[in-house]
């Protein structure tokens, strides 16, 4: 057995810096914890630099770790805990390269379905929207300036591996990106509880390429960005709920678009 890396080992000290956004941006790397995330990371060629695993994790995931050419580093339980943002660390962490693509690449060949997030604050919602976008066949998720970092621990866990399936654009100036999407032949739809258009009456507007714009959990889509959209869209509701959770609204809008396409 290779000597176990401890919390004081240079590799662990360097990896622990990736639990902060500044450290991730400086290194161009992020951490993906847990079997599902590591499975998807290893399936994406060139994504993973190394994997840290406790002795228990090495034994539990022998089928996965025994067949990869990526370096697997045995670590102590304490070292693994230092790389985790959960109460009960899983003992399996991959160091991965950031997957950002330039916004211009997305605009050069717009996918039939994409998502833009304006000032989204909650990293759990960021990961859930990524997962939903992937499930509905979206090709890209664009994080506007000021939105949560999709590479933070909570966001990565919430994405359940979908982070490795879609193009990710970070820090995009949406006031420029949205008109550029429209010039490329796409439609921009802003999710808005007070919107003038009903989701179930959009018809051909969902044919694509469609970019759904979702806003902050409390404030919604900023007025200036909503004004750039081709339509502000509300989800008709029969019950008495005042509104929908952002992630739930995104799921409904994206699923409806998937059906129309």
């Amino acid at each position: 057995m290779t000597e176990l890396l401890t919390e004081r080992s240079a590799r662990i000290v360097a990896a622990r810096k990736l639990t902060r956004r500044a450290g991730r941006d400086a290194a161009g790397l992020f951490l993906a914890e847990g079997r599902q995330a590591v499975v998807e990371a290893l399936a994406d060629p060139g994504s993973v630099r190394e994997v840290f695993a406790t002795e228990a994790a090495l034994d539990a995931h022998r089928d996965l770790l025994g067949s990869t050419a990526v370096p697997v580093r045995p670590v102590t339980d304490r070292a693994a805990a230092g790389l985790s943002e959960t109460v009960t660390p899983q003992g399996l962490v991959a160091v991965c390269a950031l997957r950002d693509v330039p916004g211009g690449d997305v605009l050069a060949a717009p996918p039939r379905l994409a998502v833009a997030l304006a000032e989204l604050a909650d990293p759990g919602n960021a990961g859930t929207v990524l997962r939903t976008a992937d499930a509905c066949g979206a090709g890209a998720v664009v994080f506007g300036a000021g939105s949560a970092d999709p590479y933070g621990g909570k966001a990565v866990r919430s994405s359940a591996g979908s982070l490795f399936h879609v193009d990710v654009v970070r820090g995009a100036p949406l006031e420029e990106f949205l008109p550029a999407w429209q010039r490329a032949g796409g439609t921009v739809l802003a999710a808005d509880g007070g919107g003038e258009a009903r989701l179930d009456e959009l018809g051909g507007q969902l044919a694509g390429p469609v970019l759904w714009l979702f806003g902050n959990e409390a404030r919604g889509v900023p007025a200036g960005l909503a004004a750039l959209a081709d339509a502000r869209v509300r989800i008709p509701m029969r019950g008495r709920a005042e509104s929908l959770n952002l992630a739930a609204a995104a799921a409904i809008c994206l699923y409806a678009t998937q059906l129309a396409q």
Side-chain angles (χ1 to χ4, degrees), residues 101-112 140 142 167 169 177 180-186 209:
V101 301
D105 288 4
V106 175
L107 294 170
R112 293 190 64 80
V142 181
D167 288 339
V169 179
F177 188 91
W181 176 274
Q182 291 163 324
R183 289 194 297 272

Side-chain angles (χ1 to χ4, degrees), residues 116-121 191 213-222 246:
L117 301 172
E119 301 176 14
L120 183 88
L213 175 63
F214 301 102
N216 178 269
E217 291 85 348
R219 300 184 299 275
V221 176
L246 182 141

Side-chain angles (χ1 to χ4, degrees), residues 119-152:
E119 301 176 14
L120 183 88
D122 186 273
N125 278 336
T128 300
V129 171
L130 270 166
R131 185 177 183 179
T132 303
D134 177 26
C136 293
V141 177
V142 181
F143 288 80
S147 288
D149 184 9
Y151 300 112

